[in-house]
Structures are given as structure tokens and as C-alpha cells.
Amino acid sequence: MTNWWKIYLMVAFTGTFFSLVLTPLFKMLAEKIELFDVPADQMHKGHSEPTPLLGGGAICAALLGTIVFGFCSASFLKSTPLYGDIRTFLPGMRSVSFRTAMIALGAVGATLLGLYDDKFNMSAKAKFGGQFVIAAIAVTWGGARITAFISTPVIAWCVSIFWFLLIINAINFFDNMDGLAVGTATIAFSFFSIAAATRGQHFVAALGAASAGASLGFWFYNHSPASIFMGDSGSHLLGYLLATMGCLVTYYKSGSGESSPFSVLIPLFILGLPLFDALAVTAIRFKLGKPFYIGDHNHISHRFLK
């Protein structure tokens, strides 16, 4: 199994390449259809000029391109030294294809939901409803479900849905500064991929590597000063993918003796910064008597900047 790390790097590189190529195309498309983030009178905005808003679509397209490329190219590795390691796992690609398709469908849904919000400014209730549907797809058919210490399927389903809603909105809140959310997500995806790799979850690790690569490629256009924003389409997508990775990675097996029960806290540590920011901002806005979904400058990033 010594060659698997090379495969993960190849997957990450492919995601980065697709993202680097596709992001300028989506930027031009945003300019053509006049989809911009216009600061107007929104005081919490950190930019002064209209900025293209299709970055989420670029990340999603790069991820989907990497997944499709990976499934199509696996059989062409027979003439490479890597084939010896992956040969016994190739039949497993068929067994995970449906779940992968459902996860990809949820990713597209998350991107479209955020894109619709970017264009038409949805109400909070409608947005939560859309997030619930997308989470239900991943949990019910994608197999992204929290099961640790939960024996009742209905409770596990509800907890998993809550996890998705929490992470999606935490990343949405965290996207308040150039390169911050996508950079943090890239690091988090990398840690999830490493955690999955150490457990021998090769397909999960590859999904994490693909997500990290797609995010990293977009970061080069999104770091300060950003030439394109990912918008709610990007924050919804990244939140959805991070929540998915948090569920798919196996952290603890009862009776195995391989890890401590406290291993289930790993996702909370990996996503600790955006989770802390979301909870802190919500508490501050509640104390000030403001709606929790209205943007301001009370995020931890703004405090560090000050």
C-alpha cells in the first residue's frame, strides 16, 4: 500500500489543475451574465468594487471533473507501478459508484442553492429548507451518516442532518475575507484525507484529496486581493463537502483496540476555527439583539485584523 500516497497526490494535483483552468472561465461567464457581488450600502463588505461571483461553480466543476477523470482513468493504470496497489480495490469502485453519485448530486445541489441565493437573495427560511433537502440526499443515499455511539437509525439520521446544517452555515459565516474560507477548507480537507488514508479508506481519502485540490486551485484567484468570489454557492459547497468528509471518515471502531473513543472528536478539532467563529458570532448578535444571519464585523478574522 506504499503507493497510495502517490495516488492521493495525483488526485489533488488533478483537482488543482482543473480549478486553475476553470476558474478564469467561470469569471468570464460571471462578467458576461453580470453576476457580481456589489457592496452597495452593505457596510460589512470588505471590497469597494463589484466582483464576479461564480467561484463556487468553478470549484464544483473542478471537483466533478476530477471524480469523473478518476473513475475513467483507473483502468489505464495497468501499465504503471501503481496498479499492484489498486488492483484489488478496482471492483470496489462499482460498489461505491452510487454513493459517489449521490454525494456529487448533493454537491451540485448545494452549489445551485447558493448560486440562487447569490442571484435572488433568498429568505433564511427558504435557504434552510434547501440545505435540509441537500443534507437528506447525502445522509440517506450518500451514506454520509454519523453512527458513533448511536444505535437508533432515526436518531443517527437526525444528528447527521444537524451536522450538515451546522457545518454549511458555519462555512457560510466564515466566508468573510479574501481567501479565508477556501484556504481553511483546503487545510481541513487535507486533514480529513490523511485521517481516512490512515484507516485504509482509500476512496474517502481520494475524495478529500480531490476536494482539497479543487479548493487550492481556486484559492490562487481568491486570496487578497480577490479577482473572483465563491459566493454562497462556494460556501455552501465547501460546507457540504466538509460535513460529508466528517461523516465518511471512520474514527473509532468499537472493540478494535486501534483507537480511543475520543477519536470521534477529530472532526470538531479539524473544523474548530469556523465552528468557534459561528458560535461566537451568533452569541454576539443575539446579545446585541440582531438577527444571526445578518453580516457584521464581529467575526474572529475581523478581530485578528484589528
Side-chain angles (χ1 to χ4, degrees), residues 153-176:
V154 174
I155 296 178
W157 191 88
C158 293
V159 171
S160 302
I161 293 293
F162 174 77
W163 168 256
F164 269 84
L165 296 178
L166 175 64
I167 301 304
I168 289 173
N169 286 285
I171 299 301
N172 191 24
F173 281 13
F174 204 59
D175 184 27
N176 57 72

Side-chain angles (χ1 to χ4, degrees), residues 99 103 142-145 196 201 204 207 243-251:
R99 292 174 57 188
I103 291 173
R145 183 175 302 187
Q201 294 180 275
V204 177
L207 177 62
T244 299
M245 290 299 301
C247 290
L248 290 179
V249 179
T250 300
Y251 307 97

Side-chain angles (χ1 to χ4, degrees), residues 202-265:
H202 302 301
F203 295 118
V204 177
L207 177 62
S211 301
S215 302
L216 177 62
F218 177 74
W219 177 86
F220 285 98
Y221 300 96
N222 186 241
H223 70 79
S224 184
S227 60
I228 181 173
F229 291 160
M230 65 180 184
D232 274 11
S233 62
S235 62
H236 274 65
L237 171 63
L238 294 182
Y240 166 84
L241 291 173
L242 288 169
T244 299
M245 290 299 301
C247 290
L248 290 179
V249 179
T250 300
Y251 307 97
Y252 172 74
K253 290 183 179 180
S254 179
S256 65
E258 297 177 1
S259 60
S260 164
F262 293 104
S263 298
V264 298
L265 298 178

Side-chain angles (χ1 to χ4, degrees), residues 32-77:
K32 186 174 182 178
I33 64 176
E34 297 183 349
L35 181 60
F36 296 98
D37 185 334
V38 182
D41 58 350
Q42 296 173 293
M43 298 302 294
H44 69 280
K45 298 287 186 178
H47 60 291
S48 57
E49 298 294 331
T51 305
L53 249 186
L54 263 180
I59 299 173
C60 184
L63 175 65
L64 295 179
T66 304
I67 292 175
V68 172
F69 180 80
F71 272 87
C72 293
S73 63
S75 59
F76 294 103
L77 295 176

Side-chain angles (χ1 to χ4, degrees), residues 44 169-177 180 273-274 276-282 284-285 292-306:
H44 69 280
N169 286 285
I171 299 301
N172 191 24
F173 281 13
F174 204 59
D175 184 27
N176 57 72
M177 197 169 289
L180 177 63
L273 190 56
F276 171 79
D277 179 67
L279 294 175
V281 167
T282 300
I284 292 172
R285 292 172 185 174
F292 72 93
Y293 50 84
I294 301 298
D296 55 29
H297 281 168
N298 288 314
H299 292 275
I300 188 173
S301 54
H302 296 126
R303 295 172 179 272
F304 273 122
L305 186 61
K306 291 178 184 179

